Amino acid sequence: MTLSDKLDLAIRNIPDFPKPGIQFKDITPILRDAKLCREITLALTAPFKGKNIDVVAGIESRGFLFGMLMAQELGCAFAVIRKKGKLPHRTVEIEYALEYGSAIIEMHEDEIESGQHVIIHDDLLATGGTAAAAAELIKKVGGRVEAFSFLIELDFLEGANKLSPFGAPIASLKHY
Ligand code: AMP
């Protein structure tokens, strides 16, 4: 069975969560299968082996799951991008627009050194607003966005268009 087939079986689709009309892609069943997690980690990191990546930056909270495993596999640092108010040390933040209102994400100001090569990872790319804000944040702290990495990309929401200004490739394991 291909990895794509395995992901089809393991990703649980929950209709109308958290609100009507959303098809929520639940990745928690994947986490029960250690061999599948290993296979996913290898597939996520394959494009970046030998590319001198310094940091994988994971987006709260599901971006932490495979983001940390990717960093381990690549032998590089892992940085957390969090919703405002969770990080204890000095932070840099960025505000971005949501469908209704806005949100703020932030990271510790010393987590990335100027000029470091960064991969941004999250479980899923939808409209791209979150990943675009993360990329702005990485740039603000002096990092270079080398790539975006996702388990799942929802093609019909065209998040890739929102990320194109950053000029970094998008690697997604599964497209719906
Ligand atoms: P966006 O900013 O629209 O690209 O939304 C991406 C963020 O929202 C990611 O952190 C995802 O975990 C979450 N998300 C958006 N849509 C879904 C969905 N259909 N299923 C699961 N998570 C989603």
Side-chain angles (χ1 to χ4, degrees):
M1 205 193 290
T2 65
L3 177 57
S4 179
D5 292 339
K6 290 177 195 171
L7 288 171
D8 273 332
L9 289 175
I11 295 166
R12 184 160 53 189
N13 191 73
I14 312 282
D16 300 318
F17 182 87
K19 54 185 180 182
I22 305 283
Q23 301 286 327
F24 190 87
K25 302 293 181 198
D26 176 19
I27 66 163
T28 59
I30 292 173
L31 307 177
R32 294 187 214 136
D33 185 338
K35 271 170 86 175
L36 180 57
C37 286
R38 182 74 192 132
E39 199 175 336
I40 289 169
T41 304
L42 292 177
L44 286 171
T45 51
F48 310 116
K49 291 264 170 82
K51 294 272 168 72
N52 293 320
I53 299 300
D54 300 302
V55 183
V56 175
I59 301 175
E60 180 174 348
S61 57
R62 290 183 296 275
F64 297 168
L65 300 169
F66 284 95
M68 182 66 197
L69 292 172
M70 288 175 73
Q72 284 287 297
E73 182 63 26
L74 292 171
C76 71
F78 178 70
V80 298
I81 297 177
R82 299 212 61 179
K83 288 164 191 145
K84 187 177 170 67
K86 310 274 187 186
L87 292 169
H89 191 51
R90 280 197 302 274
T91 58
V92 178
E93 66 179 40
I94 196 128
E95 187 169 5
Y96 64 103
L98 296 175
E99 196 179 347
Y100 303 104
S102 66
I104 297 175
I105 52 172
E106 62 184 8
M107 66 192 306
H108 281 142
E109 63 175 16
D110 58 1
E111 242 170 323
I112 288 172
E113 288 164 32
S114 184
Q116 281 195 314
H117 301 223
V118 182
I119 297 172
I120 293 172
H121 171 78
D122 202 356
D123 66 328
L124 183 142
L125 174 63
T127 66
T130 312
E136 290 293 349
L137 190 58
I138 297 300
K139 285 170 64 182
K140 204 167 166 181
V141 295
R144 288 171 41 171
V145 180
E146 292 297 320
F148 296 94
S149 154
F150 305 96
L151 257 74
I152 302 163
E153 181 172 342
L154 301 181
D155 293 338
F156 63 98
L157 292 174
E158 299 180 342
N161 289 345
K162 200 168 258 166
L163 302 184
S164 63
F166 298 98
I170 302 170
S172 303
L173 289 189
K174 188 79 206 169
H175 293 259
Y176 290 109

